[in-house]
Amino acid sequence: MATFSTSSNRPYHIVIFGATGFTGQFVVEEVARTASEGPKGNLKWAVAGRSKAKLDKVLEQAAEALGKPELQSEVAVIVADVGEPDSLAVMCKQAVIVLNCVGPYRMFGEPVVKACVENGAHCIDISGEPQFLESMQLNYQDKAAEKGVYIVGSSGFDSIPADMGVIYTRDQFKGTLTAVESFLTASSGPEGGCIHDGTWQSAILGFADSDKLRSLRKKFGYKSLPVVGARIKRRGALFFSNEIQQYAVPFMGSDPSVVKRTQRYLHEELQESPVQYGAYAGVGGISNIFKLLFAGMMFWFFVKFSFGRNLLMKFPEFFSFGFFSKEGPTRKQMEDSSFRFAFFGEGYTEGLETTEGKPNAKIRTLVQGPEAGYVATPIAMVQAAITMLNESNSLPKTGGVYTPGATFAKTTLIDRLNKHGIQFSVL
């Protein structure tokens, strides 16, 4: 079993790889804020990336933003490049956990996973790319289990709120929960909001390779999960949601894939009753629908061709109506933004057999928090790491490639998130 404690040979609890990236810089700040929550109140950490000068600059900026000048002298800098395996090996040998912030993961993620498994470092990423996440499970599950290494993907806004939200809803339900639908809404302040174009690039590459994802899934040879209770009804491509009182569309991110993998693990490994899941996102009123339809048609047309993908990547603001940008949001935009996940579940009350008619009870829960991409994501990622360090006995019994729900179902991660502004509640 790979260790969860530091040693003379492995001096850092956490190494943030890709610390100079747009998301990585905010992960650096979040680790600095929460260092006192590490083992015995002392988190030992370092930053890693291709350029020492840029890493020094990130620490300087974090020190200034947080009023912690000591960061520049106390936090170590490791030079590592995803294209240089030896440098990744050196980095991984020094870390208990690597926080991998280098995306798009389908392009740059596997060398990091490989280096972590081979060198005994656990790995947490914030990928929202199902093809990458599921291919890592297919290719590294056995190797990670053999080494006792935990590889935990999708540990940011994709997909901790959704995955842990379903588990929270199940745990709060008095009986057998059989199905959950989630509805995501986001709000921004007077200056609006946007997402850095790294996420846009991942989406473009993901849709372009959708056929490969289908063929990948066939390689697992999975049997269908049993349906408990009434089969969940799939909504249309665009519909008015009475639940959130606005138009909604199916959520196109990794949440459905991640939640299904978690439910499969809980059913097959822990013999728990699987929960069906449907994920949707609110898009607002009629004017937003026209924008969505127009942008969607352009996206679907251009993403099919190489020249079209190049145009999409070159002009993210134009093709997304400003929703994605090369600069990313300002700190003011992030401060004024927030998200809400509303979960609507149904099931059978205690003592009632799940074969006796339709589900007879409902539950509504809420997961809400600050701006999703660069405030909530660093919080989720860092708390996942701190939970692993402090609660290793509550993780799955063997190493492997896991979802957040599979990894943290038996830990206090939800309580930790509640204390840091990602709040879970029953309505």
Side-chain angles (χ1 to χ4, degrees), residues 24-69:
Q25 63 182 321
F26 298 112
V27 174
V28 169
E29 292 182 15
E30 187 61 26
V31 170
R33 285 190 197 96
T34 55
S36 63
E37 298 174 28
K40 299 178 181 178
N42 181 26
L43 187 75
K44 299 172 184 176
W45 60 290
V47 294
R50 290 181 295 176
S51 166
K52 183 180 186 305
K54 290 182 179 179
L55 291 166
D56 288 337
K57 184 68 174 176
V58 162
L59 289 174
E60 180 186 334
Q61 291 171 343
E64 184 177 344
L66 302 175
K68 292 178 176 285

Side-chain angles (χ1 to χ4, degrees), residues 15-20 46-50 55 76-80 91:
V15 172
I16 305 166
F17 182 52
T20 60
V47 294
R50 290 181 295 176
L55 291 166
V77 170
I78 301 170
V79 176
M91 174 186 74

